[in-house]
Amino acid sequence: MSVLYIALPVAILLALAAVIAFVWTVSRGQYDDLDTPAFRMLEDDERRRPRHRPASESETSLREEADHPDDSREQ
Amino acid sequence: MIPINSPRSQPERTPVIDEIDGSETAQSSGQGTCIHCDLPIPISRQHSSGPEFCCAGCEVAYAILQDMDPRLLEEIAEAKTAGPSELTYEEMNHPRFLELYAHQLDSGLNRIRLHLEGIHCASCVFVIEKLPEFLPGVINARVNLTTATLDCFWNPDAVALSEIARTLDRLGYRPHPAQPNETERLYRLENRKHLIRLGIAGACAGNVMLIAFALYAGMFTGMSAEHLNLFRWTSAGLALVSIFWPGQIFFKGALLALKTRIPHIDLPVALGITIGGIAGLVNSIRGSGEIYFDSLTVLIFLLLVGRYIQFRQQHHALSQLSLLKNLTPRHARLVTGTEVLTVPIEVLQVEDEVEVRAGDVIPADGVILSGDSSVDESILTGESRPRRVLTGGEVTAGTLNLTSPLRMQVQSVGEQTRIGRLMNLVELGVSSKLPLIELANRIAGVFVITVILLSLLCLGLWWSSGANVAVANAISLLIVTCPCALGLATPLALAVAQGKAAKRAILINSGDAVEKLARPGFLWLDKTGTLTTGKMQVQVWQGEQSQFREIAALEQQVVHPIASAILGYIEQQTGGALPDLPAPEDVQARPGQGINGTVSGHQLLIGTEALLTLEGCRIPATYQQSIADCRAQGLTTVLIAVDGELEAVCGIGDSLRPDSRATLDHLKAAGWSIGILSGDHEEIVNPIARQLDIDPEFVHAGVLPEEKLQIIHQSTPHELTVMVGDGVNDSAALAAASVGIAVHGGAEASLQVADVYLNRPGLSPLRELIDGARMTNQVIIRNLLISLAYNLLAAGLALDGLINPLIAAVLMPISSLTVLVLSFMNRSFRETHA
């Protein structure tokens, strides 16, 4: 029994994981706009909330939602 | 009621959004650059005192970097209340508008996508995304720089959409509602499919190659049969995935080629993949002989790379706004009984009564009920002189009301208006444009048939030495003459050329424009804004200059291109701004004729010869000659009288761009035929054509947009037609021509339908583009020749049985590499011209 019988499937599985991850990122629309994020790194790290009121729960979840393009549903 | 002409209330032309620099760019000479990012400062922002910035974004970012008070954001936002626009965006609160453009989320929040003008750098993104911090009620703002759009989430109970729009406007980014666009969505999905295919093909190719290494090593050092089989079956599995998933498109292409009986590059590829795959499988089962999976998977991957490059090129980089929506105003002032309401344009119906203020764009086609004004129709007709309209006169949507308010009755709205119909023609033109059959594809047909015949010949020749050898040699031939290089040659050369051209501010939207421009054809040019600067300027001034201050004071009272030209000239002569001018009294603007008034006790009368004669002003003989001269040159003649005495005569017109002549001469020498298609009057166009030495036979003056389209249609089937233009009135022609080129500073509509956009003022980029296209084509031809020569040599060797599949697999990428290197050594679109 050669070690290859274990090593080869493991290698293939790793490759498969990478492919799945790639396909997932593509279909989440992460490659749709490649220009703007380069500029976003110039912003502050944490998003400061408006000073006049605390963030509501709906707002927080909405922020999450807004950070992801909605067209993942278009598939 | 005369609108007061402050520098701010200048009516804006249709704005240009472009992803590289903002809506307007400073002319290069003598103007500062932004203190924060060093981009040129647009004219609209040159009134600020202190340090100058190209956009509000830079101003805010600069302030933050200068370590000012963090509340500065809000202060700046408030300071912007006296911003350049007086738009209230009230129409955005209308339920009909919200229903059309915004959608409500379950959380009770609203979401809208807005197109913003003038986004062009990191500071813009920075500031706009800070919106939630200084506008309570805005939850989130995300900018996409590529499409110049903003996704905005807001709480309708806390803030009105009009407030958000006003804030954006004050920051210097004028918002427009964005249409959910089908083509854009399809492009995005197609792009993703391509990427997924590439990813899978790449992963398969990489892994099969790794296993191939092990197999080749085994060939030299020996390998046990069980390991050999393990490796073979593993690569067989990976290759099958690659063939049946990403490789599908080649089979689809090949089937299509068989159906249509047109040889296509996909045919030998599909054939090679099929034969290679079957042979590899057979050998895997037998446990001896060559498996071809490594070559096959790499072949698929490389071809897909070529395809992807091509796909990216063909996509129009400019985001598609609905053309019509961009040319007509977003709102109208609807007259209901006694009051006037601001409503979104979508609400307008036939028979409605609408008020159009001076300086506003007319929202619909209709008849004037009351008023006397002049209308700038250059957007539709290309005519540089304003047209006078009276009660009962007809006006069209998208044109600009210049001098005084009008009441009109709507006769047609939206797509039924003249401009709406024109835009439909434009969209039809874009969709019916025939793609060029690339040189490579024409060669491919012959190439394909030759390769297939050769491999059959090879099979026959070697059949006597046994089926195994014969198949191996035939497959070697198919692999070694792989059309990779052929498939990559054109897209690579075009991609490199596109990249280089973009650095020289020439944006090429479709790759085949470069191929088409390589051979001379017929070049049609628009006049206004293309050959000329598109701005009215004083070119002749004869007479007194002592009354400048008084003339300026009077001309400041009206919004009119002629008045702006005279003001500009006076400012230029007196060296800049005119502080504290005297206030004129009894001002009387006479649409289409002139203006009169009293300034510092002098009676001023400025206007046409007819007006002065009517007012009883004598025209001395000394001035008669210069009036005749101005007429001959196609200039608008304006006479200035002070206290009943003629003081000066000035000739106003649109002056030729300084580089027009040289560019056209160069193109004529290169074999292009040149003609003018202009909506302007003959007496204005002909002098320009004479100055440029254009054959009168090809000078068309006074043509309507629809006629421009016809002229282009008539000549397109016979020869290559190129249309160069800048306005909405050219857009249909731009769309229909083999290649449409939009020049710097044009209207959005023309940019969207053009294949090429020259993002530098002047005509010299046109020369650069055509020269660059010629050079790029030489590179393509050289690429094709080299790959053909290589293939001939390799095929000969394979026929002699000198190449086994292993060597073929090594040789195959070498040909692709040669093409790659050659493409990157493309010398077109360089800084200097030999």
Side-chain angles (χ1 to χ4, degrees), chain B residues 86-204:
Chain B
E86 301 153 17
L87 296 172
T88 59
Y89 295 100
E90 282 306 323
E91 76 281 357
M92 285 200 179
N93 299 337
H94 199 284
R96 177 93 181 102
F97 181 92
L98 291 173
E99 177 192 338
L100 278 168
Y101 299 107
H103 51 260
Q104 205 156 9
L105 303 168
D106 305 337
S107 47
L109 296 169
N110 277 355
R111 170 187 181 158
I112 192 166
R113 181 168 289 185
L114 294 166
H115 251 285
L116 300 182
E117 282 170 42
I119 291 193
H120 66 303
C121 64
S123 310
C124 303
V125 178
F126 173 82
V127 165
I128 296 167
E129 293 196 349
K130 285 261 176 293
L131 206 58
E133 289 188 26
F134 54 86
L135 198 59
V138 180
I139 308 296
N140 195 336
R142 301 288 281 181
V143 174
N144 180 332
L145 200 68
T146 328
T147 53
T149 52
L150 162 76
D151 267 322
C152 183
F153 296 80
W154 82 101
N155 179 353
D157 302 329
V159 67
L161 182 56
S162 58
E163 179 66 26
I164 300 171
R166 270 201 301 275
T167 310
L168 286 167
D169 191 333
R170 285 204 295 265
L171 286 171
Y173 309 102
R174 184 168 288 187
H176 304 270
Q179 288 298 95
N181 187 308
E182 195 53 20
T183 42
E184 210 176 314
R185 199 183 64 92
L186 288 176
Y187 165 77
R188 220 175 28 231
L189 292 178
E190 187 62 20
N191 186 31
R192 289 178 191 177
K193 277 192 195 132
H194 265 288
L195 276 173
I196 289 173
R197 262 193 236 124
L198 260 182
I200 290 161
C204 290

Side-chain angles (χ1 to χ4, degrees), chain A residues 1-2 4-5 8 11-12 15 19 22-23 26-36 39-40 42-44 47-53 58-59 62-75, chain B residues 70-71 73-74 105 107 109 111 113 121-122 125-126 129-130 132-133 135-140 142-146 153 185 188-189 191-193 195-196 198-200 203 207 211 226-227 230-231 234 238 312:
Chain A
M1 179 71 184
S2 160
L4 276 176
Y5 286 110
L8 198 62
I12 303 256
V19 168
F22 175 73
V23 171
V26 170
S27 49
R28 286 301 300 271
Q30 295 196 21
Y31 299 94
D32 288 351
D33 174 18
L34 297 174
D35 299 340
T36 322
F39 293 113
R40 264 197 204 112
L42 300 166
E43 285 179 36
D44 303 339
R47 252 201 221 168
R48 283 174 297 163
R49 286 199 307 274
R51 287 175 216 89
H52 48 273
R53 62 194 171 85
S58 69
E59 184 181 322
L62 195 89
R63 290 231 159 135
E64 293 283 303
E65 188 187 326
D67 278 343
H68 301 300
D70 62 326
D71 32 35
S72 48
R73 290 191 294 256
E74 286 176 14
Q75 292 301 304
Chain B
R71 278 180 322 175
L73 280 174
E74 283 155 69
L105 303 168
S107 47
L109 296 169
R111 170 187 181 158
R113 181 168 289 185
C121 64
V125 178
F126 173 82
E129 293 196 349
K130 285 261 176 293
E133 289 188 26
L135 198 59
V138 180
I139 308 296
N140 195 336
R142 301 288 281 181
V143 174
N144 180 332
L145 200 68
T146 328
F153 296 80
R185 199 183 64 92
R188 220 175 28 231
L189 292 178
N191 186 31
R192 289 178 191 177
K193 277 192 195 132
L195 276 173
I196 289 173
L198 260 182
I200 290 161
N207 284 292
I211 295 171
E226 67 167 327
H227 287 158
L230 172 70
F231 283 136
T234 319
L238 286 168
R312 291 291 298 219

Side-chain angles (χ1 to χ4, degrees), chain B residues 531-562:
Chain B
L531 290 169
T532 62
T533 53
K535 287 189 193 68
M536 291 292 228
Q537 283 171 327
V538 174
Q539 294 183 26
V540 178
W541 182 288
Q542 197 210 344
E544 277 297 318
Q545 301 208 344
S546 54
Q547 305 280 355
F548 269 175
R549 291 177 57 79
E550 287 76 11
I551 297 168
L554 185 60
E555 290 289 10
Q556 269 209 334
Q557 303 301 309
V558 279
V559 183
H560 196 286
I562 300 275

